[in-house]
Amino acid sequence: MDFNDTKEEAAFRTEVKAWIDANAPTYLAESLVASGFGSTGTGDKDPLAEAKMWQKKKSDAGWACIQWPEEYGGRGATPMESVIWNQEEGFYSKLSGTFIIGQGMCAPTLMAYADEDQKRRYLPKLASGEEVWCQLFSEPQGGSDLAGLRTRAERDGDNWVINGQKIWTSGAQYSDFGILITRTDPEVPKHRGLTMFFLDMKSPGIDIRPIKQANGESGFNEVYFDNVIVPDAQRLGEVGGGWQVSLTTLMNERLAIGGGIATGFPEIKALVETLPMGDGFAIDNPAVRSKLADWYAKTAGLRNTAARAMTALSKGEVPGPENSIGKLVAGGMMQDIAKYAIDLQGLKGVIVDPELAVSSARFQAMLLRSPAVRIEGGTDQILRNIIAERVLGLPEDMRADKGIPFSQIPSNTGSTGKTSTSR
Amino acid sequence: MNFDFSNDEKMIRDQVARFLSEQCDSKVVRGILEGDENYSQGVWTGLAEMGVMATAIPEAYGGVGAGYPSLCLVAEQIGAHLAPVPFASSVYLATEALLQFGSDDQKESWVPRLASGELIGTLAADAATSCRVEAGKLSGKKMIVADGGIADFALILAEDEKARIGLYLVELNHNSVKRENLQTIDPSKNSSSLYFDAADAELIGGLDAGIAEIDRIYDRAAVLVAFEQLGGAARALDMAVNYARERFAFGRPIGSFQGLKHMMADMYVALKLAESNCYFAAWALDTQADELPLAAATARVSATQAYQLCTRDNIQVHGGMGFTWEFDCHLYYRRSNYLTLILGGLSEWEDKLVDCLPDERAA
């Protein structure tokens, strides 16, 4: 057991540090550090343009997606080198939020299922941030029950014709490409009738509409497909094999979201250290200390769990479903922290104007955004099911739709109790 | 970075696990819980023959010198099997205190016999003022001493004529000491009151450094006890999962109901967080890292939470059967609550954890 860098790791860290010191956009440092949960502060600069600029700069010098093979835009780095890079990039990595879905989920899916020409065409530009990708999975009738999705793909010669609707698509409005899961056969049980594609988001027939969220912001979109043409060459995996392909994407989603996930702990600690209470500060109060200790123990537990996963990864082991705990713990914790922080602020806690509110209203923003963390990328309940079934080996849920052709599954959308498969 | 135990360390763990599986099943634990013996001499002797008490003791003092990560994994097995032996008192507390603060002579005269399991020690550190030393003789009482009815000697926190606090070694098998066993929430572990009437007392370490010394010992012991808690929590979760797979109700295994599944998923999450924090603390203990006090408090807090949750909800998963004397659920429930309170309860460690956090004000 050793937490210190090996000689090679230390040399790598020095190299990374030197490059970041010489090249990072230091003019953004202050606003990035101060930026609250769920937003990337770039002051008066355009966040997308700044993100693309930093990503391109990294890519030109060989520091983008460093774990990827060189021919796809990476540098073939080890998992441990990747951890070191992330540690040293620090708050500048907030600029990379735009690319997480593409690089963290779409890219592994392409690596596993696209042909060699496609990989060489798309992956390097994904790494460099010149092309942004999104993931078109969730639907109004298929969220937790993803395999209940209804967007149809129908064969037409060498092409497929897509009709239907996706929802909760992050970054669709500025994405160049997306991976899309569709139903190609409604007459077989639901998991067997799915097929995965990737497509150009500028294709005719795509209509992207922002969703106004409960917190007033619009980070997600609805995406409508009206006779959108996708070439069969852009199919990922077999016809009817889309469910298997999606598992690759989702496994990487949990890794992408689970590592280094925000918990709100540094923020609550900074608050209670400076918030006056009684004759001292909130941190001197026993009730506050008890909460703080619990949250620290959880935050440290997540950090140390990630370190163990890295050790396993560097020994060539595959990260398993146990990594589902990251988002499950962090999501609920962030919501608790936001609520508690606001409670400590008293009536002032109601104010959301950053000019007037305590801590520039970061806890109010956290409070209003945090319900989504417990839903996006697998609800708390789905994650608990995964832990129970795939880690602990408990029996599967009894399912009312098991083995039944998709078209026969009861739902709340058809008047006959039967499902309609395209809208 | 390498965040895993070595193969040698795992081998020691596996040997201890095998021995305890064979020689320390729940019948043995129940024998102590229900009987008149204070501990299982069979298990103690077996562990001693394997050299388990000597695991982390340097070779110069009769130890194996296999290091603290090995001892952590041993502790995990002691906890998993609810071993009814004074291992924590003798190994994590008495031996550690002597190694940390004893003179060379004191180490030489006591530690080798602790390493071999021939002697059993304990530590009584609460309420220093309850015992007083005058001219090398200690008088007074310690109301609650873990394994006080078993130990051959105790390290006693006491004050002297000048109100200086120190740690004193007192041999217990002597007329000047009276012991009375206590009834507790976990009768598989011995707890006793000790009464001293001018007992011979030998000072260990310096005077007036007493409290700080105890804190250092407690930090180290907390890591090891956290591993015991971890082992017990994992076993309680296993029991729950196995029962939920086998028990049918409403025509299906109860483990297929989400109400129970989610409960067990939460037990797993608590266990996993605790396990990772314990691993980090094992490293800090081994390397004497500056992070030790914070790492120890963190491991202790999360292991306490995990053990409590897993034993509480293990009973819930078992339903009515979980509340019978016959089922083993209560053995773990009892032990988890006992281990929470030795070395100070959860709220004390939470407080300590926050004390250890770096103050980042105006940094």
Side-chain angles (χ1 to χ4, degrees):
Chain A
M1 219 177 246
D2 190 359
F3 276 85
N4 300 321
D5 286 341
T6 63
K7 217 167 130 193
E8 294 75 23
E9 287 164 358
F12 183 79
R13 193 183 291 280
T14 308
E15 191 188 350
V16 167
K17 219 178 198 140
W19 189 83
I20 289 176
D21 285 348
N23 292 284
T26 47
Y27 58 95
L28 295 175
E30 203 178 317
S31 40
L32 281 174
V33 169
S35 63
F37 171 68
S39 66
T40 306
T42 48
D44 51 1
K45 311 273 192 206
D46 173 38
L48 183 61
E50 292 299 327
K52 287 195 167 196
M53 221 167 359
W54 175 229
Q55 194 64 28
K56 183 73 168 72
K57 201 168 188 181
K58 287 192 283 183
S59 167
D60 288 345
W63 293 112
C65 302
I66 63 171
Q67 265 188 265
W68 296 8
E70 264 178 71
E71 60 270 33
Y72 303 146
R75 68 190 290 140
T78 66
M80 214 51 85
E81 287 173 338
S82 180
V83 171
I84 292 169
W85 167 268
N86 291 338
Q87 287 170 346
E88 296 303 326
E89 190 183 15
F91 57 81
Y92 292 110
S93 69
K94 289 188 185 183
L95 283 169
S96 313
T98 312
F99 310 112
I100 282 181
I101 290 173
Q103 295 171 350
M105 302 171 220
C106 300
T109 313
L110 291 175
M111 284 190 208
Y113 291 98
D115 69 35
E116 192 56 35
D117 286 350
Q118 288 169 335
K119 287 191 232 183
R120 287 175 190 266
R121 154 66 186 86
Y122 293 106
L123 288 170
K125 283 196 169 5
L126 219 173
S128 68
E130 289 165 273
E131 291 173 351
V132 179
W133 285 57
C134 62
Q135 173 201 340
L136 299 143
F137 277 25
S138 291
E139 295 190 9
Q141 294 296 322
S144 289
D145 182 14
L146 177 62
L149 62 91
R150 289 147 194 274
T151 293
R152 285 298 309 270
E154 284 163 305
R155 188 100 193 208
D156 180 17
D158 286 342
N159 291 325
W160 293 81
V161 182
I162 317 289
N163 281 289
Q165 183 202 344
K166 295 287 172 179
I167 195 170
W168 302 118
T169 313
S170 311
Q173 73 277 26
Y174 52 71
S175 284
D176 301 286
F177 296 92
I179 58 173
L180 170 74
I181 186 161
T182 63
R183 181 161 308 282
T184 43
D185 186 354
E187 301 309 325
V188 293
K190 64 181 185 180
H191 291 91
R192 299 217 299 266
L194 305 176
T195 304
M196 188 80 80
F197 300 94
F198 70 88
L199 84 171
D200 186 338
M201 289 299 287
K202 307 290 184 293
S203 305
I206 295 182
D207 181 15
I208 298 165
R209 301 178 200 168
I211 296 170
K212 185 164 184 187
Q213 298 156 202
N215 66 343
E217 294 184 353
S218 290
F220 298 101
N221 302 278
E222 294 179 298
V223 181
Y224 291 84
F225 298 86
D226 180 14
N227 290 317
V228 175
I229 306 293
V230 177
D232 186 54
Q234 292 177 196
R235 173 163 46 81
L236 296 169
E238 299 300 314
V239 174
W243 182 249
Q244 283 312 312
V245 182
S246 77
L247 293 181
T248 306
T249 316
L250 294 175
M251 192 181 76
N252 283 287
E253 174 170 37
R254 286 186 196 109
L255 274 185
I257 295 180
I261 189 169
T263 59
F265 180 79
E267 289 84 358
I268 186 76
K269 176 163 173 283
L271 175 72
V272 299
E273 279 178 339
T274 51
L275 189 75
M277 185 186 278
D279 295 333
F281 296 97
I283 195 169
D284 305 320
N285 178 290
V288 173
R289 292 170 81 78
S290 173
K291 295 259 187 201
L292 202 60
D294 177 41
W295 289 325
Y296 178 80
K298 289 193 167 81
T299 304
L302 289 180
R303 188 180 60 228
N304 291 326
T305 301
R308 287 171 68 192
M310 277 305 141
T311 299
L313 215 56
S314 67
K315 288 180 177 171
E317 293 166 30
V318 181
E322 66 273 10
N323 293 298
S324 300
I325 74 168
K327 196 180 80 77
L328 180 58
V329 173
M333 184 169 149
M334 178 180 281
Q335 199 167 27
D336 290 345
I337 284 178
K339 183 172 64 76
Y340 196 69
I342 286 169
D343 191 77
L344 289 174
Q345 295 168 16
L347 192 53
K348 262 190 187 169
V350 301
I351 300 173
V352 296
D353 179 349
E355 300 291 319
L356 296 175
V358 179
S359 309
S360 311
R362 74 205 305 187
F363 294 105
Q364 285 74 9
M366 200 186 274
L367 180 84
L368 294 175
R369 178 60 174 75
S370 57
V373 181
R374 299 182 49 207
I375 299 167
E376 60 198 357
T379 63
D380 284 3
Q381 289 67 34
I382 289 291
L383 295 177
R384 287 192 176 96
N385 280 353
I386 289 173
I387 292 167
E389 293 176 14
R390 298 190 32 218
V391 181
L392 297 178
L394 286 164
E396 262 188 33
D397 253 323
M398 300 296 232
R399 291 211 331 252
D401 57 3
K402 194 153 194 173
I404 299 173
F406 181 72
S407 59
Q408 307 297 315
I409 295 172
S411 79
N412 58 348
T413 58
S415 54
T416 60
K418 288 186 181 176
T419 240
S420 64
T421 52
S422 63
R423 7 179 77 231
Chain B
M1 188 183 86
N2 173 20
F3 198 5
D4 195 6
F5 291 92
S6 73
N7 287 337
D8 285 351
E9 289 157 359
K10 289 177 184 170
M11 217 158 73
I12 292 175
R13 171 195 64 193
D14 293 345
Q15 282 168 0
V16 173
R18 206 171 312 124
F19 167 78
L20 291 173
S21 302
E22 288 163 10
Q23 304 295 327
C24 186
D25 61 11
S26 74
K27 276 198 205 101
V28 173
V29 181
R30 283 170 180 275
I32 304 305
L33 183 83
E34 296 168 355
D36 296 330
E37 298 293 322
N38 284 336
Y39 71 112
S40 165
Q41 296 197 28
V43 172
W44 183 259
T45 309
L47 290 170
E49 282 167 0
M50 294 169 71
V52 176
M53 291 76 164
T55 305
I57 297 173
E59 288 167 68
Y61 300 111
V64 176
Y68 287 95
S70 297
L71 186 59
C72 287
L73 292 183
V74 167
E76 192 178 8
Q77 292 306 314
I78 298 277
H81 292 88
L82 300 172
V85 289
F87 199 78
S89 298
S90 197
V91 181
Y92 319 154
L93 289 169
T95 304
E96 282 296 310
L98 283 163
L99 282 174
Q100 294 287 314
F101 306 119
S103 66
D104 287 346
D105 281 353
Q106 287 168 333
K107 287 185 211 175
E108 271 163 32
S109 66
W110 296 102
V111 177
R113 286 185 290 162
L114 288 164
S116 68
E118 176 194 338
L119 282 187
I120 293 169
T122 190
L123 177 84
D126 64 309
T129 51
S130 65
C131 285
R132 201 173 153 84
V133 176
E134 282 174 17
K137 303 280 185 188
L138 186 143
S139 297
K141 63 185 177 208
K142 291 287 178 188
M143 282 313 293
I144 307 160
V145 181
D147 301 306
I150 302 168
D152 299 294
F153 70 85
L155 300 172
I156 304 284
L157 204 61
E159 63 173 13
D160 70 2
E161 301 97 320
K162 295 178 183 160
R164 294 174 301 188
I165 291 171
L167 194 59
Y168 294 87
L169 188 150
V170 178
E171 294 192 59
L172 301 180
N173 297 318
H174 196 274
N175 293 339
S176 57
V177 182
K178 200 168 73 128
R179 325 189 197 199
E180 263 173 29
N181 280 351
L182 296 162
Q183 294 179 352
T184 70
I185 52 172
D186 184 5
S188 70
K189 293 291 289 182
N190 172 258
S191 299
S192 287
S193 297
L194 299 182
Y195 302 88
F196 305 97
D197 182 14
D200 288 337
E202 181 183 349
L203 183 66
I204 306 289
L207 277 170
D208 254 356
I211 300 293
E213 285 177 0
I214 292 299
D215 274 353
R216 280 175 58 195
I217 293 298
Y218 270 31
D219 284 344
R220 303 175 67 80
V223 178
L224 295 156
V225 171
F227 270 89
E228 286 199 10
Q229 294 173 302
L230 201 59
R235 193 52 74 90
L237 174 57
D238 264 0
M239 287 168 71
V241 167
N242 290 333
Y243 188 76
R245 274 201 291 235
E246 285 162 16
R247 166 87 180 179
F248 272 65
F250 304 98
R252 55 199 265 205
I254 61 170
S256 67
F257 290 104
Q258 291 196 353
L260 293 187
K261 262 186 193 171
H262 290 187
M263 195 185 260
M264 287 181 270
D266 287 340
M267 290 156 78
Y268 173 82
V269 169
L271 175 64
K272 191 79 181 174
L273 294 175
E275 196 178 75
S276 298
N277 284 335
C278 282
Y279 280 28
F280 184 75
W283 169 79
L285 176 64
D286 186 38
T287 57
Q288 306 264 18
D290 293 342
E291 292 97 329
L292 179 61
L294 177 58
T298 306
R300 173 76 172 147
V301 165
S302 52
T304 299
Q305 290 174 336
Y307 203 7
Q308 294 227 324
L309 181 74
C310 288
T311 55
R312 188 193 78 174
D313 285 347
N314 179 37
I315 294 179
Q316 191 67 19
V317 168
H318 278 75
M321 294 312 291
F323 190 61
T324 61
W325 187 260
E326 179 194 348
F327 272 53
D328 288 343
C329 303
H330 71 105
L331 303 184
Y332 285 88
Y333 187 61
R334 289 170 183 279
R335 183 64 61 86
S336 73
N337 285 288
Y338 170 82
L339 288 183
T340 296
L341 295 173
I342 67 165
L343 307 179
L346 181 59
S347 51
E348 274 184 50
W349 285 96
E350 286 175 340
D351 199 47
K352 205 161 172 172
L353 187 161
V354 175
D355 273 340
C356 294
L357 291 174
D359 187 338
E360 286 154 332
R361 272 172 281 204

